[in-house]
Amino acid sequence: MPKKLFNVDLNKTMDKQDHPGHNRWHPDIPAAFSVDPGESFRMECLDWTDGQISNNDDPSDIKHVNLNRVHVLSGPVHVNGVEPGDLLVVDILDIGAFDEHKWGFNGIFDKTNGGSFLVDHYPNAAKSIWDFNGIYATSRHVPGVEFAGIIHPGLIGVAPSQDMLDEWNRREKALVDKDPHREPPLANLPDTDAVVAGTLKGKDFERVAKEGARTVPPRENGGNCDIKNLSKGSRVYFPVFVDGAKLSVGDIHFSQGDGEITFCGGIEMPGWIELRVNVIKGGMDKYNIKRNPAFNPGPVMPNYQDYIVFEGISVNEFSGDQTYLDANTAYRNACLNAIEFLKTRGFTGEQAYMLLGSAPMQGNVAGIVDIPNSCCTVALPKEIFNKGVLPDMEPDE
């Protein structure tokens, strides 16, 4: 087994660990350890909320979770000899749950605290707890389904340069300034509340807390991309912006549907991950991988072959107004159509919504060229339902 280089105690928050990780992006957060190219190692991770969610039936912890705390990340990892302009090559060798923590959670965020993809349809907080049995997950809150998970890090990325960080903060503030009182907000700007910044203290901590970018969205450094098949066996090519790259990882999911639509999405859990790092010198220019990472998916996926697929088009579901090739609206309608169907099969709307966020649902853009309507689809594996899910044919008379 690769050497464990980042340990966590599940009974302590990230700031109380022997070596704290971090929950902001900033080039000056010090590395937790260093490795050489070609080296393999194991890191342990807390869940993205830093232990704020309990294994019970009360969704108030989802409603009131302090989002300024998320995501708590393990790292950063300094890779010796890696410089700006290189590509950091990261292999995900293995990933899993802790033996003492065989459960995870999914939740719909309240509109006043983060919201979700379908926030105007489901504005209130809800929670589902999922129990793990080997590779399978079941939930007392969403009965009648069992599915194989594909464990993956929702968040993995490298540190930004100072110039890149300043640009992130500039462009996101300009967006927020368009509607500064919106709920949920248009972006999460730097906030000094609940900051964890490794071992920094004093004025250095205060500066990083004031400038550090929130880890909520994906950006040029990778980050919170929530890609379910970026999993065991995947190889990622990260553009490098600072010396040593400063790789960090966290937000582990047991399973997730494409889009992570509930926002408190996938099945969130603490866990461990084994990585191997290498470097392609000058790789950003050589391969023109500059704006965002690229990756080669691994060979491990749940082997579901039979799906029921729901379509959606880019017509606003409230006003009936036509939009122009709006894939966001089309995907929202595909999800809503799936939920409305599942309500006829015995699920509540909230249960169906959390199922779409947790199960290995496949989301696709079917067409974005046929004016004025984009078409998106969501596909649910038939095999995950304990009873039949397809519409019943009327018996012959």
Side-chain angles (χ1 to χ4, degrees), residues 307-310 356 360-364 377-381:
Y307 292 83
I308 179 168
V309 183
F310 299 89
L356 290 178
M361 176 266 283
Q362 301 279 4
N364 290 286
T377 63
V378 297
L380 273 171

Short mmCIF file of all heavy atoms in Angstrom, two decimals, residues 307-310 356 360-364 377-381:
data_model
loop_
_atom_site.label_atom_id
_atom_site.label_comp_id
_atom_site.label_asym_id
_atom_site.label_seq_id
_atom_site.Cartn_x
_atom_site.Cartn_y
_atom_site.Cartn_z
N TYR A 307 -31.72 1.52 -19.65
CA TYR A 307 -32.09 2.80 -19.05
C TYR A 307 -33.49 3.22 -19.48
O TYR A 307 -33.99 2.82 -20.54
CB TYR A 307 -31.12 3.91 -19.48
CG TYR A 307 -29.72 3.78 -18.95
CD1 TYR A 307 -28.79 2.95 -19.59
CD2 TYR A 307 -29.31 4.48 -17.82
CE1 TYR A 307 -27.50 2.82 -19.10
CE2 TYR A 307 -28.02 4.36 -17.34
CZ TYR A 307 -27.12 3.54 -17.98
OH TYR A 307 -25.84 3.41 -17.50
N ILE A 308 -34.12 4.04 -18.66
CA ILE A 308 -35.26 4.83 -19.10
C ILE A 308 -34.77 6.28 -19.19
O ILE A 308 -34.18 6.80 -18.24
CB ILE A 308 -36.49 4.68 -18.18
CG1 ILE A 308 -37.64 5.56 -18.70
CG2 ILE A 308 -36.16 4.98 -16.73
CD1 ILE A 308 -38.97 5.26 -18.03
N VAL A 309 -35.01 6.90 -20.33
CA VAL A 309 -34.40 8.20 -20.66
C VAL A 309 -35.49 9.25 -20.79
O VAL A 309 -36.51 9.02 -21.44
CB VAL A 309 -33.59 8.11 -21.96
CG1 VAL A 309 -32.90 9.44 -22.24
CG2 VAL A 309 -32.55 6.98 -21.88
N PHE A 310 -35.25 10.41 -20.18
CA PHE A 310 -36.20 11.51 -20.21
C PHE A 310 -35.57 12.69 -20.95
O PHE A 310 -34.42 13.04 -20.71
CB PHE A 310 -36.59 11.92 -18.79
CG PHE A 310 -37.26 10.81 -18.03
CD1 PHE A 310 -36.49 9.91 -17.30
CD2 PHE A 310 -38.63 10.64 -18.08
CE1 PHE A 310 -37.09 8.87 -16.62
CE2 PHE A 310 -39.23 9.60 -17.40
CZ PHE A 310 -38.46 8.70 -16.67
N LEU A 356 -32.02 11.29 -8.31
CA LEU A 356 -31.31 11.76 -9.50
C LEU A 356 -29.93 12.30 -9.15
O LEU A 356 -29.00 12.21 -9.96
CB LEU A 356 -32.12 12.84 -10.21
CG LEU A 356 -33.40 12.41 -10.91
CD1 LEU A 356 -34.10 13.63 -11.52
CD2 LEU A 356 -33.14 11.39 -11.99
N PRO A 360 -26.23 6.61 -10.22
CA PRO A 360 -25.38 6.86 -11.40
C PRO A 360 -26.21 7.21 -12.64
O PRO A 360 -26.20 6.52 -13.66
CB PRO A 360 -24.62 5.54 -11.57
CG PRO A 360 -25.50 4.51 -10.95
CD PRO A 360 -26.19 5.19 -9.80
N MET A 361 -26.95 8.30 -12.52
CA MET A 361 -27.76 8.81 -13.63
C MET A 361 -26.86 9.41 -14.71
O MET A 361 -25.89 10.10 -14.40
CB MET A 361 -28.74 9.86 -13.09
CG MET A 361 -29.58 10.56 -14.14
SD MET A 361 -28.83 12.13 -14.70
CE MET A 361 -29.22 13.20 -13.34
N GLN A 362 -27.18 9.13 -15.97
CA GLN A 362 -26.39 9.65 -17.08
C GLN A 362 -27.09 10.88 -17.67
O GLN A 362 -28.24 10.81 -18.07
CB GLN A 362 -26.25 8.59 -18.20
CG GLN A 362 -25.59 7.31 -17.76
CD GLN A 362 -24.07 7.42 -17.73
OE1 GLN A 362 -23.51 8.48 -17.96
NE2 GLN A 362 -23.41 6.33 -17.42
N GLY A 363 -26.39 12.01 -17.69
CA GLY A 363 -26.92 13.21 -18.30
C GLY A 363 -26.18 13.53 -19.58
O GLY A 363 -24.95 13.38 -19.63
N ASN A 364 -26.91 13.95 -20.60
CA ASN A 364 -26.28 14.23 -21.89
C ASN A 364 -26.91 15.44 -22.56
O ASN A 364 -28.10 15.72 -22.39
CB ASN A 364 -26.42 13.03 -22.83
CG ASN A 364 -25.57 11.84 -22.42
OD1 ASN A 364 -24.36 11.85 -22.58
ND2 ASN A 364 -26.22 10.83 -21.86
N THR A 377 -30.90 15.15 -22.10
CA THR A 377 -31.52 13.93 -21.60
C THR A 377 -30.92 13.54 -20.25
O THR A 377 -29.76 13.83 -19.96
CB THR A 377 -31.34 12.75 -22.57
OG1 THR A 377 -29.95 12.45 -22.71
CG2 THR A 377 -31.93 13.06 -23.93
N VAL A 378 -31.72 12.87 -19.44
CA VAL A 378 -31.23 12.19 -18.25
C VAL A 378 -31.71 10.74 -18.33
O VAL A 378 -32.86 10.47 -18.72
CB VAL A 378 -31.69 12.86 -16.94
CG1 VAL A 378 -31.13 14.27 -16.84
CG2 VAL A 378 -33.20 12.88 -16.81
N ALA A 379 -30.81 9.81 -17.99
CA ALA A 379 -31.09 8.39 -18.14
C ALA A 379 -30.89 7.69 -16.81
O ALA A 379 -29.80 7.75 -16.22
CB ALA A 379 -30.16 7.79 -19.20
N LEU A 380 -31.92 7.01 -16.33
CA LEU A 380 -31.86 6.26 -15.08
C LEU A 380 -31.77 4.77 -15.38
O LEU A 380 -32.57 4.24 -16.17
CB LEU A 380 -33.11 6.53 -14.24
CG LEU A 380 -33.08 7.73 -13.31
CD1 LEU A 380 -34.46 7.97 -12.73
CD2 LEU A 380 -32.08 7.51 -12.19
N PRO A 381 -30.81 4.05 -14.78
CA PRO A 381 -30.73 2.61 -14.99
C PRO A 381 -31.97 1.90 -14.44
O PRO A 381 -32.36 2.12 -13.29
CB PRO A 381 -29.48 2.18 -14.22
CG PRO A 381 -28.72 3.44 -13.95
CD PRO A 381 -29.74 4.53 -13.87
#
